[in-house]
Amino acid sequence: MGKKSTAMAFAMACNCAGETSKTIRQETNIPCGRCKPCLKIEAGNHPDIIRVKPSGPFIKIDQIRSLCQTIAMKPYEARRRVVIISDAQAMNPAASNALLKMLEEPPARTILILLATHTSDLLPTIVSRCQQLRFKPISSRKLESVLVREHGLAADDARIITTMAAGSLSRALRLHQTNWINRRNWLINEMETLSTASVNRLLAFGEQLSKNKKDLQDSLEVMTSWLRDLVVSRLNPERVVNQDLAPRIRQVSQQMSIDVLVEKIDTIQAAQNAIQAGTNLRLALEAMVLRLAKI
Ligand SMILES: [Zn+2]
């Protein structure tokens, strides 16, 4: 992993003006990290290093259109302008098609970098126009120790977060900064009480999910991982993701049939698909919650 940091280092290497280590730099292409362009890029205020990320669950066509307008003009000061599109899979089809035109005729002195977890989540026409670089996940042990040593997390918290971070340091840090463990516990409590909750309470839960758009994907993943753990706990307890909750998972899983659990997982997946396709967020989530409670 390290896709984002590598993209930023690449942008720096393309524009580094460091004099002191010029020979080394030419041989290794490592940016100096001290010159004006390097510092500006690192601080995130270089006008020609453009970051695009989802606003809410999607990268919208307006974002890609405004990107097209910006890069139709010459770069302000960069040797090479670099556009970094994070979570490129969050582009809806309209946004993807708008980007496609830009990929077909890239503007001068501009490099477009798309970051995504799976190429299968992108339009094949986009993938075929890009050069692919693969990144490997960081091992759990290493990630855990980096979180404890360099970011001051408690060992227990580091272990829980590592299980959800899928080998990505930036994801782990984001989970930590957004107080994810508390949110996970809240979601799991809600999931456990769904079948006995009143309709009002269910609708309120759906609404709460829809209000926090930024964390929605993570929230849905937590819910799925909890249900998955309830299935896995019966078949192969060592593979439970939320290991710190293993005794509770074991207990709850005995009260539900595997068929029911799988149906619940499918329900969340269907809601994710509907949201991705642009359905009204709140309606999709309310419907999902009501269905989860009924199954
Ligand atoms: Zn530099």
Side-chain angles (χ1 to χ4, degrees):
M1 294 284 173
K3 302 190 289 294
K4 228 169 282 174
S5 358
T6 307
M8 292 303 277
F10 178 78
M12 281 158 80
C14 289
N15 291 289
C16 180
E19 287 296 329
T20 42
S21 54
K22 208 167 186 176
T23 350
I24 305 174
R25 194 158 53 74
Q26 275 166 358
E27 281 168 14
T28 59
N29 291 321
I30 294 172
C32 75
R34 287 187 304 269
C35 67
K36 210 171 150 200
C38 277
L39 290 174
K40 265 185 157 178
I41 294 171
E42 203 169 26
N45 51 26
H46 192 299
D48 296 314
I49 309 305
I50 304 168
R51 300 277 312 269
V52 181
K53 14 184 172 181
S55 85
F58 302 112
I59 296 174
K60 300 189 178 103
I61 185 157
D62 289 346
Q63 289 173 272
I64 300 296
R65 277 197 191 127
S66 99
L67 173 68
C68 290
Q69 278 166 5
T70 309
I71 70 175
M73 293 178 281
K74 277 190 187 151
Y76 293 100
E77 51 184 77
R79 243 192 339 254
R80 292 243 182 271
R81 176 164 52 193
V82 180
V83 178
I84 302 170
I85 304 180
S86 297
D87 296 305
Q89 76 283 352
M91 286 187 290
N92 59 24
S96 293
N97 283 316
L99 181 75
L100 199 56
K101 283 183 202 133
M102 197 154 37
L103 286 175
E104 275 164 353
E105 295 170 50
R109 286 160 53 204
T110 299
I111 295 168
L112 293 156
I113 299 179
L114 279 65
L115 308 180
T117 315
H118 306 286
T119 47
S120 55
D121 295 338
L122 300 168
L123 286 184
T125 41
I126 297 245
V127 178
S128 69
R129 282 165 180 80
C130 296
Q131 185 182 342
Q132 288 177 43
L133 291 179
R134 290 183 183 280
F135 286 72
K136 283 192 189 138
I138 308 170
S139 76
S140 299
R141 194 184 301 170
K142 189 162 182 195
L143 187 54
E144 239 177 87
S145 88
V146 169
L147 289 173
V148 172
R149 266 189 301 113
E150 290 175 29
H151 299 276
L153 271 74
D156 285 348
D157 290 359
R159 195 168 315 125
I160 301 170
I161 283 182
T162 297
T163 57
M164 267 309 278
S168 157
L169 178 61
S170 59
R171 189 169 147 95
L173 291 175
R174 187 163 48 83
L175 292 171
H176 174 55
Q177 280 150 9
T178 54
N179 224 338
W180 176 80
I181 294 178
N182 285 347
R183 197 152 40 93
R184 179 199 68 161
N185 295 343
W186 166 69
L187 283 164
I188 290 175
N189 281 329
E190 289 287 336
M191 291 287 284
E192 276 186 9
T193 52
L194 279 181
S195 58
T196 54
S198 67
V199 172
N200 278 345
R201 172 94 199 269
L202 294 174
L203 293 177
F205 178 44
E207 193 185 347
Q208 268 171 307
L209 284 175
S210 72
K211 272 187 182 157
N212 198 345
K213 277 191 204 166
K214 203 159 51 68
D215 298 325
L216 181 60
Q217 283 311 324
D218 282 340
S219 298
L220 294 178
E221 257 170 62
V222 167
M223 294 165 71
T224 309
S225 86
W226 170 252
L227 293 167
R228 175 196 168 278
D229 278 352
L230 293 176
V231 176
V232 169
S233 156
R234 296 225 205 142
L235 312 170
N236 195 348
E238 300 90 68
R239 301 203 57 188
V240 162
V241 170
N242 299 284
Q243 271 299 339
D244 58 312
L245 303 175
R248 184 165 159 197
I249 290 168
R250 205 165 33 244
Q251 198 196 348
V252 178
S253 83
Q254 277 155 8
Q255 300 156 10
M256 290 178 179
S257 81
I258 288 185
D259 283 350
V260 164
L261 291 167
V262 169
E263 209 179 326
K264 283 178 190 266
I265 293 173
D266 287 345
T267 302
I268 298 177
Q269 182 74 55
Q272 275 173 313
N273 292 343
I275 292 166
Q276 194 76 37
T279 312
N280 178 299
L281 198 61
R282 188 169 152 189
L283 286 181
L285 290 169
E286 284 177 352
M288 177 192 83
V289 171
L290 290 172
R291 213 166 295 144
L292 286 174
K294 220 174 63 182
I295 297 169

